[in-house]
Amino acid sequence: MPKLVKFSRLLSVLPLLFLAGCNMVVMAPSGDIAMQQRDLIVVSTVLMLLIIIPVIFLTLFFAWRYRRSNTAATYDPEWHHSTRLEIVIWAAPLAIIIALGAVTWISTHKLDPYRPLDRLDAERAIPADTKPLTVEVVALDWKWLFFYPELGIATVNELAAPVDMPINFKITASSVMNSFYIPALAGQIYAMPGMETKLHAVINREGEYEGFSANYSGAGFSHMRFKFHGLNQQGFDAWVAQVKQQGTMLNRDAYLKLEKPSEKEPVRYYAGADADLYNAILNMCATPGKMCMNEMMHIDMMGGGGKESAENREKLQYDNRHVGEGETAPAATGSMQHDMPGMPSTAGMDMQHEGHSMPGMSNGADPAPAQLNNNN
């Protein structure tokens, strides 16, 4: 018996040992959106435990109460129904499901990442004269590029924002899908080529926080991390001044070099960036000679340009951008052009925003998809 008690104590300590090695930032965040998401996790867990704990307890109780050696327990082999017991068995889970459904419905709309913020935290509304900070995020192989369009600067693998200032993130990717995630700030949001996703968030406490990609995207995925600095206004102004003082210029040529797959990239500052570079990345036409996605969608909307503009086919091949340079990019991408002759590469072309549909693909009978052929 003493050995059994000692073993039971050991088992009770094991979960604490596992938790001791975990980063509990999700349950102790520093941003209001992440805090609301934490509260949602807690409420949902408590609601589910309201039925789980009694079921576990009663299972153990019945096993002990009606064990074979307990002759004092009532034995009724003819028992088959109890209305009161049926009501409890069905009513309790139904009530919990209704409560979970209500919480999920409310939270789904309230925590929609596309929904602008209506408060700084649980006790403070956003002042009427507050102007949000816009940050444009690009997931590269395997690093993060951040544009501050209102400040005219850009950074690699470092992000900063003032405390208690709403942040409007616009998020996209250059090649394959990633996931933009700062656990202390808000939940993860996917970054996809040819598509812009959004996130509205606010950081409420100063500090240095971890950011990373939460979606596997190739060999360098595990090093695709960055630092997010929550600063007071004076500290943020000093950080912006540092970027402008130490940074270089991010033009198309510099971006095309940066875009190439690389691992463990150091922090880089850019004192200036081409004003239309983010939109070119979003529309997959940062490389010279490529047709922009919004131009392609316009052609599609107008009904196509006919076979007379078959040369547009090469302008719409996006996923083999490094093949002509004699490179074999070790990214989680592949050119469908090599695997399926006669079919144009469409990686990233089916994810344009604003609800546009994906253009049709050639089966080899025609020189190019009809709706993609146009001389503009």
Side-chain angles (χ1 to χ4, degrees):
M1 182 62 71
K3 291 184 178 180
L4 181 60
V5 173
K6 186 177 181 181
F7 182 69
S8 300
R9 290 176 180 173
L10 179 61
L11 288 179
S12 65
V13 173
L14 282 178
L16 298 178
L17 295 178
F18 284 114
L19 289 175
C22 296
N23 188 340
M24 299 298 291
V25 63
V26 173
M27 303 308 295
S30 301
D32 184 59
I33 295 297
M35 290 179 184
Q36 294 182 66
Q37 293 171 337
R38 183 269 318 275
D39 294 342
L40 177 60
I41 293 173
V42 172
V43 170
S44 301
T45 302
V46 170
L47 285 173
M48 290 183 285
L49 289 177
L50 288 177
I51 194 67
I52 293 174
I53 291 178
V55 167
I56 293 175
F57 171 77
L58 289 174
T59 299
L60 299 174
F61 173 76
F62 289 154
W64 174 258
R65 170 70 176 173
Y66 298 102
R67 67 193 186 278
R68 184 175 183 179
S69 61
N70 186 13
T71 58
T74 303
Y75 176 64
D76 186 3
E78 302 300 325
W79 182 90
H80 64 90
H81 180 73
S82 170
T83 301
R84 287 183 297 178
L85 188 58
E86 288 284 349
I87 292 175
V88 173
I89 290 174
W90 288 103
L94 181 60
I96 291 174
I97 291 173
I98 292 174
L100 280 172
V103 170
T104 301
W105 175 269
I106 295 171
S107 299
T108 298
H109 292 83
K110 187 176 181 180
L111 297 177
D112 181 356
Y114 282 67
R115 181 174 182 261
L117 301 182
D118 56 6
R119 71 183 202 184
L120 295 178
D121 56 35
E123 300 177 352
R124 295 178 296 166
I126 297 177
D129 59 344
T130 299
K131 183 180 180 181
L133 174 68
T134 299
V135 180
E136 297 167 339
V137 182
V138 181
L140 303 174
D141 297 324
W142 289 276
K143 55 257 176 191
W144 293 94
L145 174 61
F146 304 105
F147 292 95
Y148 289 78
E150 297 160 347
L151 302 175
I153 61 174
T155 61
V156 171
N157 287 343
E158 185 172 278
L159 179 64
V163 170
D164 293 336
M165 176 178 286
I167 312 170
N168 296 345
F169 291 103
K170 299 180 179 180
I171 307 168
T172 190
S174 65
S175 59
V176 297
M177 183 168 67
N178 274 284
S179 181
F180 177 72
Y181 189 27
I182 306 174
L185 182 69
Q188 61 173 320
I189 302 296
Y190 283 109
M192 293 172 277
M195 177 178 180
E196 182 181 85
T197 51
K198 296 182 180 180
L199 173 65
H200 294 83
V202 60
I203 193 71
N204 299 121
R205 288 198 292 266
E206 294 183 38
E208 182 179 278
Y209 307 100
E210 292 290 332
F212 54 90
S213 172
N215 187 81
Y216 181 74
S217 60
F221 157 77
S222 59
H223 302 295
M224 196 171 173
R225 297 175 175 270
F226 63 92
K227 296 293 184 182
F228 171 57
H229 301 280
L231 306 170
N232 57 35
Q233 188 61 54
Q234 183 179 0
F236 180 72
D237 292 340
W239 179 82
V240 172
Q242 179 184 3
V243 173
K244 290 183 176 181
Q245 181 181 4
Q246 300 180 4
T248 57
M249 182 64 186
L250 182 62
N251 53 26
R252 292 291 182 99
D253 292 337
Y255 168 75
L256 293 176
K257 294 178 181 178
L258 177 67
E259 181 202 29
K260 296 179 181 179
S262 60
E263 300 181 31
K264 299 181 180 180
E265 279 290 326
V267 172
R268 297 186 186 184
Y269 294 151
Y270 296 98
D274 286 358
D276 62 341
L277 182 54
Y278 172 78
N279 285 327
I281 298 170
L282 171 62
N283 287 288
M284 304 181 72
C285 55
T287 302
K290 296 299 180 182
M291 178 179 287
C292 294
M293 293 284 290
N294 53 1
E295 296 175 354
M296 179 192 72
M297 289 300 174
H298 177 73
I299 296 171
D300 184 40
M301 182 181 65
M302 299 301 293
K307 297 181 180 180
E308 64 276 8
S309 54
E311 67 274 7
N312 283 349
R313 179 175 181 174
E314 293 184 1
K315 299 178 182 178
L316 296 170
Q317 294 177 354
Y318 299 106
D319 61 349
N320 59 348
R321 60 197 183 286
H322 297 300
V323 173
E325 304 170 12
E327 300 180 11
T328 55
T333 59
S335 175
M336 287 169 47
Q337 192 72 13
H338 298 294
D339 301 329
M340 305 177 69
M343 181 177 290
S345 172
T346 58
M349 294 170 57
D350 60 340
M351 295 180 290
Q352 183 61 283
H353 51 76
E354 303 298 338
H356 292 296
S357 59
M358 172 183 170
M361 295 187 297
S362 171
N363 59 4
D366 295 326
Q371 61 266 52
L372 302 185
N373 298 329
N374 187 39
N375 281 323
N376 289 332

